[in-house]
Amino acid sequence: SRCTRVPSALNRTVSVFDYLGPAATLVKKLKYGNQQHLAEGMAAYMAAQLLQSGVDLPDYLVPIPITWLRHFDRGYNQSLLLAEGMAKILDRPVLQALGRCCGDLSQAGLSRGQRLHLGADSFYLKKRGMLEEKNLLLIDDVMTTGTTLKRCAEVLAAEYPATIRALTFCRAF
């Protein structure tokens, strides 16, 4: 109910699973266990959820970016892997339209209040002039407070897309 009281540039947000049990384990192994191969199966669940939702397919799948430092440390962006897996199934392009400013701390372990204070300047647009009247789908592994998705949607909204939706593998409480 908190989410409906705060205006958002997001038109709709959907998660495939709650962040519990096997779904949470998959996310942890993908994100922290260097098990990149898991992204393909997780992406299949995400694509199935999107197809069952009845919404139009997006023009672009837009992965949530990570900082270059996190990418250097981890070796990959788990959201990009999920988007690429979905792209194969849905025959839709992945567009890395967003960048993330270095200096952002990992949100794992932060309180709800700390997560809600993620700065609007944490993300920036890398690709301009491609998004007007396009249907965008933000892709991420986990949604906790939704702040990351909202901040990314705010940045994308400056390019006047037709819709901005978000799809995550899990939703934490």
Side-chain angles (χ1 to χ4, degrees):
S1 65
R2 279 182 237 152
C3 296
T4 60
R5 290 182 277 187
V6 179
S8 174
L10 282 170
N11 298 102
R12 185 174 184 188
T13 303
V14 175
S15 298
V16 181
F17 297 105
D18 288 333
Y19 191 68
L20 301 168
T25 300
L26 284 171
V27 169
K28 290 173 190 170
K29 288 182 181 281
L30 171 64
K31 199 169 190 169
Y32 306 115
N34 197 26
Q35 295 190 28
Q36 299 172 48
H37 64 279
L38 296 175
E40 192 171 327
M42 293 165 70
Y45 275 103
M46 293 172 77
Q49 179 70 39
L50 180 66
L51 292 170
Q52 288 177 353
S53 73
V55 301
D56 292 336
L57 290 179
D59 294 304
Y60 296 114
L61 301 171
V62 181
I64 299 297
I66 59 176
T67 66
W68 68 268
L69 190 57
R70 176 102 352 90
H71 193 279
F72 179 77
D73 183 49
R74 188 175 293 152
Y76 57 92
N77 176 350
Q78 72 281 357
S79 298
L80 176 59
L81 294 178
L82 293 170
E84 289 172 341
M86 288 182 65
K88 290 177 190 173
I89 296 166
L90 300 173
D91 194 28
R92 292 290 190 238
V94 173
L95 181 65
Q96 295 183 66
L98 297 167
R100 188 163 194 160
C101 298
C102 195
D104 276 355
L105 300 173
S106 171
Q107 292 188 64
L110 294 181
S111 71
R112 177 175 180 77
Q114 290 169 319
R115 287 172 182 260
L116 290 171
H117 283 93
L118 179 66
D121 58 350
S122 295
F123 301 95
Y124 60 92
L125 200 59
K126 288 171 46 175
K127 310 270 185 179
R128 294 194 177 274
M130 300 178 63
L131 305 179
E132 188 171 342
E133 293 303 315
K134 299 295 184 187
N135 294 307
L136 308 178
L137 183 65
L138 287 167
I139 303 296
D140 205 2
D141 55 346
V142 179
M143 178 180 75
T144 304
T145 63
T147 303
T148 297
L149 296 170
K150 288 177 186 175
R151 295 294 180 253
C152 288
E154 289 166 2
V155 171
L156 293 169
E159 292 289 304
Y160 306 105
T163 61
I164 306 171
R165 295 184 177 97
L167 177 61
T168 65
F169 186 71
C170 285
R171 178 179 65 105
F173 297 96

